[in-house]
Amino acid sequence: MGEQLRFNVLGPLTVTVGEAGVPLGGARQRTILALLLVMPGRVVPVDTMVDTVWNRNPPPTARTQVAICVAALRKIFKSAGVGGDVIVTAHPGYRLDTAGHDVDSLRFAELVRGAEQYARSGLLAEAAQAYAQALGLWRGPAFAGVSGPAVEDEAERLEEHRLNAYDDSILAHLELGQHQELIPGLAAMVREYPLRERTRHHLMLAQYRSGRRADAMETYRDAHSQFIEELGIEPGPDLKELHDAILRDDPSLAPVPAVVDRPDAPGPAAGSAAAAPAPAVPAAPPAAVPAELPPDIPAFTGRAEELTALHGLLAGAGEERAPTTGLITGAAGIGKSGLAMRWAFRSAEHFPDGQLFADLRGYDENHEPVSAHDVLSRFLRSLGVPGEQIPGDLEERVSLYRSVLADRRVLIVLDNARAYAQVRPLLPGGGRCCVLVTSRDQMEELVTWPAQARVHLGLLSEPEAVELITAIVGERRIATAREDAAQLAELCDRLPLALRIAAARLASKPHWTVRYLVNRLTDERRRLDELSQGESQIRASLALSYKYLSEDAARLLRRLGLLDAPDFTAWVGAALLNREVIDAERLIEDLVDAQFLEVVSIDATGQLRYRLHSLVRLYARECAMKEESEPDRTAALTRVLRTFLTIAEEADRRENAGHGTGVHSDVRRRRIDSELLDELLTAPLEWFEAERLALVASVRQAARAGLSELAWDLTGSAAVFFGTRSYTDDYRRCCEEALEAAHTHGDLRGQAAMLFGLGSIELVHSEMERSSGYLEQSVRLYEEAGESRGRAVALRLLGQTARARGETEQAMGIFAEALAIFRDTGDAYSEIHTLHNMAETELVAERPESAMTYALDAVRLGESLGSDTRNLAQALHRLGQAHLALGGLPEAEQAFLRAVRIVKEKSDTVGLAYTLLGLGETRFRKGDTQQAGTTLADALETAEECGSPMAAGRVRLVLAELSRSLGRTEEARDHLRTAQEVFRDIGALAWQRRAEEALAALVG
């Protein structure tokens, strides 16, 4: 039979063997496997696969491509050690043979059936335990990351079963009398599923039995409001009856003593593992915690003593003192990272609040070491801190980081650290966390910390080295060649990296004997001499494996070494070689097999992301410099950047209803297969998210390579993404790098575009003077370059700064000039943007009728584009403001609700703050003070989280009115004083005057 596969669909689709993940390839292979898992053991027709993969618009070669994908999956499973075909050909398609393997959805159903049987027999504690085990299998939405009607339908079915199991488990706990413990989890579930009556029924009953009768009534009133508002109907009879029973304190609501001991009752079905411990109360799905550990090292061998030493870290973790720290040191290629990952995976369960990982690149000769400043930014985001709240100052970041970790138990792995100074800012302040560092440096400062484990790695012993070769090549081939294997281990100096490379060659060449490879290595005496000493041992090992690569794979490796991007997907390899993606995928897998590449993750678009180890990158770049001509190196790099630009520009266009948002260069785009574009850009913002780090690195590399047009155009194409997701630091860095390159090359358009970007950043942060300065330069340079549309875009933003300073007439003049240009050039997207800005300006000038005209024009034009864009949301916001000013409260509320829905879908936090402000003010004017207060509180929290002082100040103005209407004068005064200070600090004079006038009226 071989290894047992575990198919996991209750969350992102993954397959594992033991503790190791199995890479599944691209999106098509994942979709096909998902379809087979929708119906495990049953035949899935090829036509169904074709329709799902290509969304009923298949190419002529679709059936052939399905067969290729199936063959690739079979190869993947065989490489994982599985005997026999897991995917069986059966007319008219394929069937997944799950015999001997595990499917978590089937295990979930089995556990639920066992729990139901326990419940029917009155064994409530056992039922609750089995339900908890079943619910614990879920890691997120079923089949997350895979699309297609059949898969999505199955995901919905499984989700409904999960919710039913949750409700059934709650019923068991209620009958066990665990009312109070249930309330927090139930309340969270009701917030997530407000129209699910059974869950709300359980919450009301738990609240009542816990003595919280008023809370139970409020839960019912909230249900009544939501059902009427969203469905137009009242809650069902069960909720009504419970409501009435609570009102009269019906004795039947009291808990009934449960039967908890029935040894003769049947247990769950075999294989359900009912004896395993489970939490007493199943709560709502747990909040996401970071799980950043890279994949575990396959075929890990030896290091038992070192693992035992590291295990001592767990004894100190969780105590209130300095954090436990572990340090792994040793030479390059000795296996420091592998040991760290193996221990981290074994110990992850001891750190329920997550695992953080950073490669600090301390020994990467082609890159600067990663700064603690940048690592802290990523760690804080992983720990749930919004990007807008992350301070710019290093010490402030350290303080926030340690505060966030103060009550958490997190494992932090810092790989490839060069010196203690690089690590110190990343150490938590308390003892609940554990830090594990790998380095070539002995780091005496770190060793002095209490509760530490220090491990220095030497070479593997001969038995361990042979065991490592055996694990990769297979027992059958090594059993008859033990002496040859021992000699091979010595020729590799028992160095794990060299051993893995040599063993990979044997595994990929089943017709080779071990003696044959030993003879080949012996012939390379000079290389082996180098392999046995100092730093050159890694280079010799890499050269050995490199020599056996195919010509195309070697070329791809060399050219990958030219890139600065930290990771990549298959389209990058295709661009480097100027080949099709399917060819690049095959060669990339060859490099993975040869241990040159490692799989980092599957990103949000379903693409496998790969990276070069830093030492491999160094070697690959050396080879490129020796073996590739300068024109070939430049052409390869340029193709990647041109491809990146093509995809980014298309992503920007799709995200904005078919209209690009910026000025573009004359760089010739590289043609991309439309099918690949569709696969990558199903959700354009998610593609940008997956490529963010690569994008920033590529802009920097293009700028420093003198490819200024590529640098500024790529930055401009990502501007909406950077703004929507509040990646201000990344956007600023790209603008500054590209601006410098454009200035060096005398590129006026590029300078203007990047000055526009810097102006927009300052505008978001309400730095009006700096914003105006950048934008005025941008307008002037666009004019010199003869770029009328770019000049209009910069004028439009300049008009916003004028309005913010209270100069409404000047702003309207600027907007009118920009609008005329957009209409002449047929730029509908920019026309919408300008119209809704004119509407807002007219509102500031207290001309609501004129504002209504502009807002209606903007919304109509936005709706004509046929897609819900951020631009349309802004137009709807202005329309809502106009209705509000004219007293059309129902119309205003509808406009704001539409805008809220759109900005939430886009994760546009600044837009959400403003739309919630409008919605809250509308509800206040309608007289619904309670709902208005809740909405405005959400608006203020959002504005402060995303760092928008203008939005926060405006929310406080309305909150002051609300407080005053409720007779809370001091509270109103506090809001107005704070708003006045905010407006004064950012130079928003008109709004400052409003705050002062309101404050004077309040005092009077």
Side-chain angles (χ1 to χ4, degrees):
M1 176 65 195
E3 296 286 353
Q4 181 192 44
L5 294 172
R6 294 187 64 184
F7 296 98
N8 308 301
V9 304
L10 303 180
L13 174 61
T14 61
V15 179
T16 57
V17 172
E19 298 180 356
V22 177
L24 299 176
R28 293 176 191 164
Q29 288 172 206
R30 294 172 59 77
T31 300
I32 287 171
L33 179 58
L35 284 170
L36 292 166
L37 284 164
V38 166
M39 299 187 291
R42 291 188 288 164
V43 176
V44 179
V46 172
D47 289 342
T48 300
M49 294 180 174
V50 168
D51 287 342
T52 302
V53 170
W54 285 276
N55 195 23
R56 300 188 182 278
N57 187 27
T61 60
R63 296 177 70 86
T64 301
Q65 292 189 48
V66 166
I68 292 172
C69 289
V70 169
L73 286 169
R74 286 170 171 165
K75 179 183 176 183
I76 288 169
F77 296 150
K78 286 186 183 297
S79 299
V82 178
D85 281 339
V86 179
I87 302 177
V88 179
T89 302
H91 184 77
Y94 301 93
R95 173 175 57 82
L96 188 70
D97 184 3
T98 58
H101 303 291
D102 180 76
V103 182
D104 62 354
S105 60
L106 299 180
R107 194 148 36 96
F108 170 78
E110 186 179 20
L111 284 166
V112 169
R113 284 194 297 271
E116 291 170 346
Q117 194 170 3
Y118 275 134
R120 285 193 297 269
S121 301
L123 295 174
L124 299 177
E126 291 83 349
Q129 185 181 46
Y131 279 125
Q133 289 178 319
L135 293 166
L137 296 173
W138 286 76
R139 299 167 292 110
F143 292 101
V146 182
S147 59
V151 178
E152 291 165 3
D153 288 347
E154 176 65 4
E156 289 181 8
R157 186 188 72 82
L158 288 169
E159 175 66 4
E160 186 61 26
H161 282 303
R162 182 184 74 85
L163 294 174
N164 286 337
Y166 176 82
D167 284 333
D168 289 342
S169 72
I170 293 296
L171 183 60
H173 284 284
L174 283 169
E175 293 180 8
L176 287 167
Q178 298 166 341
H179 330 299
Q180 291 182 325
E181 301 96 324
L182 290 168
I183 292 174
L186 276 169
M189 283 293 278
V190 167
R191 285 193 297 271
E192 187 172 359
Y193 301 96
L195 302 181
R196 193 169 177 84
E197 293 192 49
R198 191 177 176 208
T199 308
R200 194 178 288 269
H201 188 285
H202 290 333
L203 175 58
M204 289 174 61
L205 185 56
Q207 289 170 327
Y208 177 80
R209 288 181 176 176
S210 300
R212 295 166 59 174
R213 188 168 180 264
D215 289 345
M217 291 292 92
E218 179 60 29
T219 299
Y220 179 82
R221 285 193 295 272
D222 181 61
H224 190 275
S225 298
Q226 289 193 319
F227 274 61
I228 293 294
E229 182 177 331
E230 298 190 32
L231 302 178
I233 60 174
E234 294 188 346
D238 287 346
L239 274 185
K240 288 182 179 179
E241 289 174 9
L242 178 58
H243 170 264
D244 295 340
I246 290 173
L247 282 176
R248 62 177 184 269
D249 287 316
D250 193 321
S252 66
L253 298 181
V256 177
V259 178
V260 295
D261 186 13
R262 286 281 304 280
D264 57 336
S272 62
V281 181
V289 296
E292 298 182 350
L293 296 178
D296 195 7
I297 301 298
F300 183 88
T301 302
R303 309 302 193 194
E305 292 182 7
E306 291 87 350
L307 285 168
T308 300
L310 290 174
H311 200 65
L313 293 170
L314 298 177
E319 298 181 9
E320 297 300 331
R321 50 191 174 90
T324 55
T325 58
L327 175 63
I328 304 173
T329 60
I334 204 68
K336 301 183 294 294
S337 300
L339 176 62
M341 290 307 102
R342 173 51 57 102
W343 182 82
F345 271 100
R346 285 187 174 184
S347 307
E349 65 185 52
H350 295 279
F351 300 92
D353 297 315
Q355 308 91 43
L356 298 171
F357 174 86
D359 182 355
L360 301 182
R361 294 186 180 179
Y363 302 94
D364 190 332
E365 296 181 21
N366 289 284
H367 296 84
E368 291 294 322
V370 177
S371 69
H373 188 273
D374 289 342
V375 174
L376 284 169
S377 175
R378 182 167 64 78
F379 278 4
L380 285 167
R381 288 178 188 273
S382 298
L383 292 166
V385 179
E388 307 80 20
Q389 291 186 7
I390 297 175
D393 179 73
L394 174 60
E395 291 305 318
E396 292 180 1
R397 285 190 179 184
V398 171
S399 297
L400 178 58
Y401 171 70
R402 289 173 178 166
S403 297
V404 170
L405 287 177
D407 295 318
R408 303 194 193 186
R409 192 167 184 181
V410 176
L411 172 62
I412 302 152
V413 180
L414 305 175
D415 201 19
N416 294 317
R418 190 173 187 89
Y420 177 71
Q422 200 179 10
V423 170
R424 185 183 60 79
L426 304 175
L427 297 175
R432 293 177 60 79
C433 297
C434 177
V435 182
L436 183 60
V437 182
T438 74
S439 178
R440 298 181 205 173
D441 189 88
Q442 296 301 314
M443 289 197 188
E444 288 81 5
E445 305 96 324
L446 189 63
V447 172
T448 61
W449 281 61
Q452 55 84 27
R454 182 183 182 188
V455 173
H456 181 75
L457 292 185
L459 298 174
L460 293 174
S461 68
E462 181 182 295
E464 289 173 339
V466 173
E467 182 182 351
L468 175 55
I469 295 171
T470 304
I472 296 172
V473 179
E475 177 65 31
R476 182 180 57 82
R477 293 173 67 186
I478 301 301
T480 57
R482 290 286 175 190
E483 291 185 6
D484 292 338
Q487 187 177 355
L488 177 60
E490 291 303 322
L491 289 170
C492 291
D493 205 16
R494 305 194 308 280
L495 187 73
L497 179 58
L499 288 164
R500 289 180 180 278
I501 293 170
R505 298 309 311 153
L506 278 175
S508 64
K509 301 288 186 181
H511 53 285
W512 282 10
T513 64
V514 181
R515 168 52 52 185
Y516 181 78
L517 181 55
V518 167
N519 290 338
R520 293 178 73 99
L521 290 176
T522 304
D523 291 340
E524 297 288 339
R525 185 173 303 278
R526 180 178 177 183
R527 289 181 182 269
L528 290 175
D529 288 342
E530 294 177 355
L531 183 66
S532 301
Q533 53 184 308
E535 186 69 17
S536 63
Q537 59 184 318
I538 303 296
R539 184 176 291 106
S541 295
L542 293 172
L544 172 66
S545 190
Y546 176 76
K547 177 179 180 179
Y548 298 130
L549 291 176
S550 68
E551 183 178 346
D552 286 341
R555 183 180 296 110
L556 176 57
L557 178 64
R558 292 195 300 269
R559 293 181 178 179
L560 284 170
L562 298 173
L563 304 179
D564 289 346
D567 53 29
F568 63 93
T569 60
W571 67 260
V572 172
L576 284 170
L577 296 175
N578 205 19
R579 301 270 289 272
E580 295 296 325
V581 171
I582 192 169
D583 296 329
E585 286 176 339
R586 175 178 55 80
L587 294 170
I588 287 170
E589 289 301 323
D590 287 346
L591 294 177
V592 171
D593 292 343
Q595 305 295 317
F596 280 112
L597 291 180
E598 62 179 349
V599 179
V600 180
S601 64
I602 299 171
D603 65 28
T605 68
Q607 302 294 305
L608 281 173
R609 300 199 71 82
Y610 305 89
R611 72 172 178 184
L612 291 165
H613 187 281
S614 59
L615 292 169
V616 176
R617 186 189 300 275
L618 170 64
Y619 179 77
R621 188 166 292 188
E622 286 181 353
C623 291
M625 299 302 291
K626 293 176 184 176
E627 301 177 42
E628 304 261 354
S629 67
E630 183 176 354
D632 285 346
R633 295 196 303 268
T634 302
L637 174 61
T638 304
R639 276 196 303 273
V640 172
L641 296 171
R642 284 172 48 219
T643 307
F644 213 151
L645 176 58
T646 300
I647 304 172
E649 186 177 1
E650 178 64 13
D652 181 49
R653 189 186 69 80
R654 294 189 185 196
E655 181 59 28
N656 295 288
H659 295 263
T661 57
V663 174
H664 293 288
S665 69
D666 296 328
V667 169
R668 184 167 58 89
R669 273 51 174 170
R670 185 166 178 270
R671 188 188 67 80
I672 304 293
D673 180 71
S674 60
E675 188 177 316
L676 174 62
L677 274 177
D678 291 341
E679 184 176 320
L680 294 174
L681 301 181
T682 302
L685 287 180
E686 294 308 315
W687 178 82
F688 272 120
E689 186 73 51
E691 295 286 358
R692 179 176 66 89
L693 297 179
L695 188 152
V696 173
S698 296
V699 167
R700 177 182 180 184
Q701 185 169 17
R704 298 189 177 189
L707 304 171
S708 65
E709 286 190 302
L710 280 164
W712 68 257
D713 203 347
L714 190 53
T715 301
S717 296
V720 170
F721 162 70
F722 284 135
T724 300
R725 296 292 172 89
S726 298
Y727 287 121
T728 308
D729 289 347
D730 289 339
Y731 190 23
R732 188 189 301 277
R733 190 177 303 127
C734 288
C735 286
E736 289 173 346
E737 291 274 2
L739 176 60
E740 183 178 349
H743 184 267
T744 300
H745 290 81
D747 184 344
L748 296 180
R749 271 196 303 169
Q751 293 177 66
M754 295 301 93
L755 286 165
F756 169 83
L758 291 169
S760 69
I761 293 169
E762 300 301 345
L763 179 61
V764 167
H765 291 290
S766 301
E767 296 288 347
M768 300 306 169
E769 291 304 317
R770 277 195 290 225
S771 178
S772 297
Y774 283 131
L775 293 170
E776 286 167 0
Q777 291 183 68
S778 178
V779 169
R780 177 177 57 79
L781 289 172
Y782 271 135
E783 190 168 5
E784 288 183 29
E787 177 60 65
S788 60
R789 181 180 177 276
R791 178 173 172 273
V793 171
L795 281 170
R796 185 186 67 211
L797 212 58
L798 192 60
Q800 291 178 240
T801 65
R803 180 182 64 224
R805 292 194 301 269
E807 301 164 355
T808 55
E809 298 307 318
Q810 181 182 351
M812 287 300 290
I814 295 173
F815 287 137
E817 184 179 357
L819 183 64
I821 297 172
F822 293 137
R823 284 176 171 168
D824 286 344
T825 57
D827 186 349
Y829 186 90
S830 296
E831 183 180 347
I832 297 166
H833 203 292
T834 308
L835 285 168
H836 67 64
N837 269 288
M838 296 175 82
E840 182 173 6
T841 307
E842 291 290 72
L843 285 166
V844 172
E846 299 183 350
R847 295 189 286 264
E849 294 86 357
S850 178
M852 176 69 77
T853 300
Y854 287 121
L856 283 170
D857 287 347
V859 170
R860 289 178 188 133
L861 188 54
E863 290 174 336
S864 72
L865 299 182
S867 179
D868 286 345
T869 64
R870 188 184 186 215
N871 209 5
L872 175 59
Q874 291 170 330
L876 286 164
H877 179 259
R878 308 299 186 255
L879 180 61
Q881 288 179 302
H883 280 303
L884 180 60
L886 293 170
L889 300 181
E891 295 85 354
E893 187 170 25
Q894 289 304 309
F896 285 127
L897 284 169
R898 282 185 66 192
V900 166
R901 178 181 59 78
I902 294 172
V903 295
K904 281 186 174 180
E905 288 176 356
K906 305 297 181 186
S907 300
D908 179 1
T909 51
V910 175
L912 181 60
Y914 279 106
T915 51
L916 287 173
L917 164 60
L919 183 61
E921 185 174 4
T922 302
R923 288 170 171 171
F924 171 48
R925 304 298 178 210
K926 287 174 65 179
D928 189 348
T929 55
Q930 183 175 359
Q931 197 170 23
T934 300
T935 305
L936 290 168
D938 289 344
L940 181 60
E941 182 180 357
T942 304
E944 291 176 342
E945 284 179 354
C946 69
S948 177
M950 173 62 83
R954 290 178 60 178
V955 174
R956 286 189 182 276
L957 289 180
V958 183
L959 280 170
E961 287 190 71
L962 176 62
S963 298
R964 182 180 183 182
S965 72
L966 297 173
R968 300 198 288 260
T969 305
E970 193 57 39
E971 184 178 284
R973 184 178 290 110
D974 289 342
H975 280 308
L976 289 173
R977 285 174 176 167
T978 303
Q980 181 186 11
E981 292 172 4
V982 167
F983 294 140
R984 182 178 60 243
D985 290 344
I986 64 177
L989 300 180
W991 288 102
Q992 181 183 344
R993 284 194 295 271
R994 288 194 183 192
E996 290 169 349
E997 291 167 0
L999 193 58
L1002 185 65
V1003 173

